[in-house]
Amino acid sequence: MTSNKTIQPTYTTDALDALEKAGLSRRTFLKGTGAMIVGFSTVSAAGLLSPGEAAAAGAPLQGSTDRRDQLDSWIAILHDGTILAYAGKSELGTGMFTVQSQLVAEYLEVPLSRVKLTICDTALCPDQGTTSGSQSHPTNFNHRNRSLMTAAATAFHELKNLAAAKFGVTVDDLVVVNGVIIVKNDATKNVTYGELVGGKVFNLQLDSSIKIKGPKEWKILGTSVPRYDIPDIVTGRLEYARDVRVPGMVYGQVVRPPRVDAKVVSVDESSVADIPGLVKVVVKNSFVGVVAEKRYQAIRASERLKVEWTQGLHLPNQATFYDWMLQQPRTNSRVADSLDVDEKLASAAKVIQATYLYPYNMHGSLGASAAVADVKENSATVWSPTQSVYGAQRSTLAVLLGIPQENIRVIWRMGSGCYGLNGADAVSFDAALLSQAVGRPVMVQLTRKDEMAWENYGTPYVHKNQLGLDAAGNIIAWDSESWTAGKGSRPSGGSPYNVVTGNLAGFEVPAFNPSTGPGNISTSTGNGSNHVPSYIAFVKANGRAYIGTVTSERITTHGIRSPFWTGPLRSPNRLQNTFAHECVIDEAAAYAKVDPVEYRLRHIIDDDPLTGVTNAGNSGVSGTRMKDCIKLAAEKFGWEHRASPKAGNPKTGVVTGQAMAACLYEGHNGYCAVAAEVEVNQDTGVVNILRMAIASDSGPVSNPNGIANQNEGGALQGMSRALGEEVTWDHEKITSIDWITYPTWKFSNGVPDISNHQINRTDGQPAKGSGEVSISVMAAVLANGIFDATGVRIREGHFSPAKVLAALKAS
Amino acid sequence: MSAISLKVNGRTYDLDVDPETPLLYVLTDDLALRGPKFGCGLGQCGACAVIIEGEAIRSCITPVSTAAGFQITTLEGLGSPENPHPIQKAFIDQQVFQCGTCSSGIIMTAKAFLDQNPKATKGEIEQALDSVICRCFVQYRAMNAISQYQGGLA
Ligand code: FES
Ligand code: FES
């Protein structure tokens, strides 16, 4: 990805006005995003409890300083024993709402039904950043400061202390049953949580030094508690952002440019003057929208409004886009370099060279993004399906609207599954700008085309690998160089230009800043983008930081400016990197004529069998856990231990093969391996997965069924992306604008059989991510399966029938 | 604008709407129903599906005037959280959905098809759901729920 944080953004006068009004002098703002973030990471001025809840609890409203270290920001107990809990990780359809409720019930020792959780409302909930990157589990299910687990544990600890003092006993003399604290040898002495602290504030800091029970003792966590929201979903009761209704609400539609980077020249308002119900045509720089009393009137007006636009950007030819990427000004980043790679490659018995290509993918949420905003003179309320109520929404809305951020309330509401930065943030800005212009609450739902043509796509990749093998066929050197393209990202700390709406409204994207030299070798051991293959040692000052055997290593990455918006899409960069690494290691295994499972295992170092200490330095990353996943997936699948490709398959008709791919997500955040049976119709080019076994290790399993759903959905989504998803364009505009021009995998392709195997670590291992592990390996699974079945290696994602046929013909 | 009478989930509503308005907008905006959803507005995805006279139809491309007089059923009309229809119960039992935006598409289309073809094979059901999209990719679980419902039809 490009790194342009230090560049000073340029703004239109409108944008600068808005900044001033938001209470940010131009100078302060231009110092960079740091200054912004400090002010924004606060529990809101409205305090811990809503006025009603505060009254019920008899609790005072809380102040507006950063109170995430305060227990009262997380948990309040009412007289009747109800536990009000507040968290900042949202429900994206992954079941996090239910599992966070389980967490609170578990660590407060109360029945689940007593927990009332509120999530992601800036007036009520602590700022826990963005709900993304498989970070919800690591954030809230590890006992450390500012986690929901620590909040519940701190409250529980305090309740027992208060009860012990009340009865003149020690805490060891107490038992807790369903929210009642009882003196062990005198059950007449008992007190409920409500009686102890109902309605009072704790006034305590979170304390991560409190000893808490481990996953082995879980009774509520670790079980498949059904999701709270599914009965409401299947009966049409759940309120999504698009269902929010505010008195006086009207409907808005946006009019996006017809071409990439086109700007407004003029708007002819008379072209829609006769549309019944029209409230207003809104123009702010190149942001254009219409507002009407009814949705259909707004849609008609948006279709009919005459706008003259500039021509915009001349787009690079898609047919030669990957070559174009290599010729652009770029940033250089040296992630790792042992400085002996060229030498080792020169002495290798064999060098495997392979270039892997991956296209732009889109989130392509099924529901077009929708939001409701009610913007008043100097305050605003926005109901948004955002992943980030504070950063992406509140702080950015302040800049966009020129309203102090403490006067802005953002309330999360369920949206369509987003898988990252879909249109949710942009449409929330659309609704807010339109509401501000008309002085009434406005609902906006994007059209399918506006959703698809202007979202922040997953990034394309060119990925060159050179592997040096010794005479025995083992890897002795790995050289990996990649190029990707970026523009924009998740808005945060007041960067409205990161998505289309902010840019159209006048906030310019900072200029791209190419590197001038090769850059220094990074000292970081982080592998958040999975640039580093699992099979190398990643040698750093303090030793190996990774689980692989290969110590001769060079990892170089480049960023270029994308012509289109880009942003996080489920397993961003990690999926593309894993595609390249997990394919090229299969190529090496095939060259060495070794079973691909065995070949992977022999390039990963086990933890010390006696001490259990991992061989990956201080990183805590375990080679044994990675190997366990690979072995488990292979075993459950019924893996045939043999070299690839499969012998004896005919060159025509339908053939099948087996495939394996694995990944250590983000270098530390969850282990996963998938083994699959892949079917290729060599006459039509159609590829299918017939069955697959998924093995994953995300530490202690909080809700087995929830994680299974993530693993299954991730695997099928990864398969869909690899089997035919590719954003397309012509010389001036995006041409992937609906489900015909951006095909998705469907029921009618044949639903594969999936078996799911979770390794539950209850031995004190930290909780890891699980939302993005299985999706990361699927492109490689398909490419490896096509190779095993046909002997043809396809290095360019995706594997649509046309591309597969062409590759088979060329072989 | 014109007067239109709509029969939705067993009730009759007298409305004054533009007769060309897609049925979906009338259901969601005028009647405040949450089951049918806007996915594409193009008839490609099924998110807006409702059952009219036993057939799953796409309300986003159906002018409200053509639906007047017919019995229209949305997810709300099939059952409630307390008393779900057997197909809804199957989707709860199997914990199918992630975001649920596809819930009308999958449930309504599968129900209409299976009620007419109770003995359909897995392949036939997959074909019947051809243009029903789920982007959270719950298709594997959805097939399990559909087969649970189908089992109850026998
Ligand atoms: S919204 Fe009607 S078919 Fe997509
Ligand atoms: S569950 Fe999200 S689209 Fe199907």
Side-chain angles (χ1 to χ4, degrees), chain A residues 77 134 202 220 316 318 476-477 489 655 784 798:
Chain A
I77 296 177
S134 299
F202 284 102
I220 300 171
Q318 183 156 21
I476 52 165
S489 183
V655 287
N784 294 344
H798 51 82

Side-chain angles (χ1 to χ4, degrees), chain A residues 38-39 41-45 47 62-70 73:
Chain A
V38 174
S41 48
T42 60
V43 175
S44 86
Q62 304 300 310
S64 66
T65 50
D66 184 348
R67 293 177 47 86
R68 274 175 297 160
D69 57 347
Q70 291 293 316
S73 297

Side-chain angles (χ1 to χ4, degrees), chain B residues 94-106:
Chain B
Q94 302 293 333
Q95 291 286 296
V96 171
F97 292 112
Q98 292 189 24
C99 78
T101 306
C102 60
S103 48
S104 287
I106 299 180

Side-chain angles (χ1 to χ4, degrees), chain B residues 24 37-48 58-61:
Chain B
L24 174 65
K37 294 169 179 56
F38 180 87
C40 65
L42 305 166
Q44 296 174 352
C45 77
C48 62
R58 296 182 173 210
S59 64
C60 70
I61 48 168

Side-chain angles (χ1 to χ4, degrees), chain A residues 105-178:
Chain A
E106 181 72 60
Y107 281 93
L108 272 162
E109 306 275 351
V110 294
L112 197 50
S113 58
R114 216 171 286 168
V115 177
K116 302 267 174 289
L117 177 68
T118 301
I119 52 172
C120 298
D121 176 340
T122 60
L124 303 170
C125 301
D127 178 2
Q128 290 194 284
T130 302
T131 305
S132 69
S134 299
Q135 291 301 326
S136 300
H137 259 115
T139 303
N140 268 341
F141 288 72
N142 284 315
H143 186 29
R144 58 185 178 213
N145 272 335
R146 299 178 166 183
S147 80
L148 188 57
M149 180 181 266
T150 302
T154 306
F156 185 61
H157 184 74
E158 175 66 1
L159 287 161
K160 283 199 297 188
N161 281 342
L162 291 172
K166 179 183 170 81
F167 296 124
V169 297
T170 70
V171 287
D172 293 335
D173 297 324
L174 301 171
V175 285
V176 182
V177 181
N178 287 342

